[in-house]
Amino acid sequence: MFPKAFLTLLLALPTFSNAVTLYASHYDGNVYALSLKGKGDDVSLELTQALQTCGKSPSWLTAEPEQGLLWCSDESSPGTLTSLQVGNSGMLKELARINTPDGGTSSIIYSGNKGQKYLAVAHYGDGSISTWAIPFADKQDVQYHQILKFTLDNHGKVPQDQPRPHQVLLDPTGSFLVSPDLGADQVRVFLMDKGTGKLDACSPIPYAKGSGPRFGTFTGRKGSAPAQSSLKEENGHEERIQLHTVEELGNRLCSFDVLYVGNGCPTFKELGCFIPYPGNELPTNMATLSEIQTNGPSLHVSVRKDGKFNGNDSLVTLTLGSEGVTMQENLFSSGGTVPRAFAINKDGDYIAVANQDTSNIVIIKREPHTGELVKEVASLQVGLVPEPGQWMGLSSIVWYE
């Protein structure tokens, strides 16, 4: 039998069996850990840790739960890349921080042969992509694996005065990377050399001049690279692999069929582009598309500064179908302003939104079978709230599952 005092202490300790951990980066120089407890409509969101780490302007988080790691990119110049250890309770501890060519705005993990993993980082500020063999063996002697530096012949006005890769994205087969380049009006495509982990450039996907592709997502089943644009499921039904992107300047959503040819570079067949908003037009010239994510039968796009919900901004829901992407007419409030980033959990029943200007994280209940956004169930201010005109606030959010 345990002493009564011990049992009292044990019962008082926090439990994590019914809690899910999320992490958010903030331009105030902190990475925040949060705990979401409960189910359905009855959930609570609480802050469990604020860790000053990841340089001056933490901008992007990539989770690696299999290794108990969180990777953080810093958008300041010069930039940094930080590896964070995730403890049993979800608490973070900085392991290593290294210098990078410039600030990073996105990263993705990909694999080579024999289990070697690499992290690709998009550097918006200096127009490059770097890759790193991970995990770091010695933080004092870490060298990049590869640097891909881009140039632009026809310079325009900011932000199209130079190449500006905004994201790196892995295709569902794990065989190539794409990178929407906001400055160069193209999506760059790279085939992986599985033996060396190096990226080889393929022909890019061209976009209309001044469109500024910002973010993308793939739809389709994961698996080995197919010989054509679709994969056959066990029931014989073919599921197409598609790429969907949103533009920051042109404000269009563009969709492409992905065409695989052996082990070579893929090609892309454009299916169509449209502005994913009621009336096919954003309500103000300040409104821009920000991020696109998918889970199950639907896509979601965040819209910055449309102010549709008493000043708060919107999430748009779109449906995937045999004839392409169609928009559901009902918008849903992001619960704040400038929804810079959002993430859908694995089960597809919640979306976590990181609103930049109001610096609040909002949890929205989602119907996983239809993609319908049902109800805001939790909201929490996290970190410093920016002053008007100040570049600050939340920058990214991930579920740690």
Side-chain angles (χ1 to χ4, degrees):
M1 296 290 291
F2 292 109
K4 183 177 180 180
F6 178 81
L7 289 174
T8 301
L9 175 62
L10 188 63
L11 291 171
L13 291 175
T15 59
F16 298 91
S17 59
N18 67 336
V20 178
T21 301
L22 301 94
Y23 296 103
S25 60
H26 196 295
Y27 286 125
D28 64 6
N30 287 283
V31 174
Y32 294 93
L34 302 107
S35 178
L36 181 67
K37 299 178 181 179
K39 292 182 179 180
D41 294 354
D42 187 17
V43 299
S44 62
L45 183 65
E46 58 184 77
L47 183 67
T48 57
Q49 185 186 16
L51 180 65
Q52 189 169 10
T53 185
C54 193
K56 296 179 181 179
S57 300
S59 60
W60 184 267
L61 298 173
T62 295
E64 191 181 7
E66 301 83 1
Q67 302 298 321
L69 296 174
L70 192 69
W71 298 91
C72 183
S73 298
D74 164 28
E75 197 171 346
S76 59
S77 184
T80 61
L81 175 62
T82 303
S83 62
L84 300 162
Q85 184 179 54
V86 180
N88 291 334
S89 64
M91 302 295 279
L92 297 173
K93 176 184 177 182
E94 183 175 314
L95 292 179
R97 189 189 308 183
I98 62 171
N99 294 325
T100 61
D102 197 74
T105 54
S106 171
S107 68
I108 195 73
I109 296 170
Y110 65 98
S111 299
N113 291 338
K114 300 180 181 179
Q116 177 62 59
K117 289 189 175 182
Y118 303 90
L119 189 78
V121 182
H123 302 281
Y124 179 88
D126 78 339
S128 68
I129 292 175
S130 66
T131 66
W132 308 80
I134 57 172
F136 302 139
D138 183 353
K139 66 180 180 180
Q140 301 300 325
D141 189 28
V142 177
Q143 299 294 322
Y144 60 80
H145 188 62
Q146 186 180 17
I147 293 285
L148 300 167
K149 178 71 174 168
F150 311 119
T151 58
L152 186 66
D153 294 331
N154 299 316
H155 296 265
K157 297 179 180 180
V158 175
Q160 296 196 298
D161 56 342
Q162 65 174 62
R164 294 189 181 275
H166 198 283
Q167 182 201 21
V168 279
L169 180 65
L170 182 66
D171 87 304
T173 72
S175 59
F176 68 90
L177 290 175
V178 301
S179 177
D181 190 323
L182 195 152
D185 292 324
Q186 60 183 242
V187 170
R188 300 183 185 274
V189 183
F190 304 93
L191 192 66
M192 296 177 202
D193 185 322
K194 293 288 188 175
T196 65
K198 296 293 181 69
L199 303 178
D200 298 320
C202 300
S203 297
I205 308 172
Y207 280 64
K209 184 177 180 180
S211 59
R214 170 186 172 88
F215 211 90
T217 189
F218 283 98
T219 57
R221 186 168 62 86
K222 295 181 180 179
S224 301
Q228 51 188 358
S229 64
S230 60
L231 295 171
K232 282 194 175 181
E233 298 179 333
E234 292 180 1
N235 61 7
H237 178 264
E238 290 190 345
E239 183 180 4
R240 295 151 69 183
I241 292 181
Q242 296 180 342
L243 171 66
H244 310 273
T245 64
V246 291
E247 302 168 344
E248 180 172 320
L249 305 179
N251 288 320
R252 300 181 305 166
L253 183 152
C254 295
S255 298
F256 304 84
D257 264 337
V258 183
L259 306 174
Y260 294 84
V261 182
N263 295 321
C265 289
T267 58
F268 299 83
K269 178 184 177 182
E270 184 176 311
L271 300 175
C273 300
F274 69 101
I275 296 176
Y277 202 86
N280 200 38
E281 183 179 4
L282 294 184
T284 71
N285 60 8
M286 294 293 292
T288 62
L289 306 183
S290 182
E291 189 165 333
I292 182 170
Q293 299 283 358
T294 184
N295 183 289
S298 63
L299 298 163
H300 302 280
V301 176
S302 57
V303 184
R304 300 177 294 183
K305 296 189 177 181
D306 73 330
K308 180 71 174 181
F309 296 89
N310 295 320
N312 287 342
D313 295 329
S314 301
L315 296 179
V316 180
T317 300
L318 305 109
T319 302
L320 292 167
S322 58
E323 301 301 319
V325 176
T326 57
M327 196 183 72
Q328 297 180 15
E329 287 297 320
N330 55 317
L331 303 180
F332 199 91
S333 174
S334 72
T337 58
V338 186
R340 180 179 178 84
F342 67 98
I344 310 171
N345 68 342
K346 284 184 178 179
D347 290 340
D349 54 354
Y350 292 111
I351 286 184
V353 185
N355 290 294
Q356 184 175 354
D357 276 12
T358 45
S359 197
N360 67 320
I361 292 174
V362 175
I363 306 297
I364 299 170
K365 185 181 177 182
R366 178 180 182 269
E367 169 51 56
H369 300 296
T370 65
E372 180 187 1
L373 303 184
V374 180
K375 180 181 181 181
E376 179 183 315
V377 292
S379 179
L380 183 68
Q381 182 184 322
V382 176
L384 295 175
V385 179
E387 297 292 335
Q390 181 185 25
W391 184 257
M392 181 63 77
L394 290 161
S395 54
S396 76
I397 189 162
V398 294
W399 298 85
Y400 193 80
E401 300 178 289

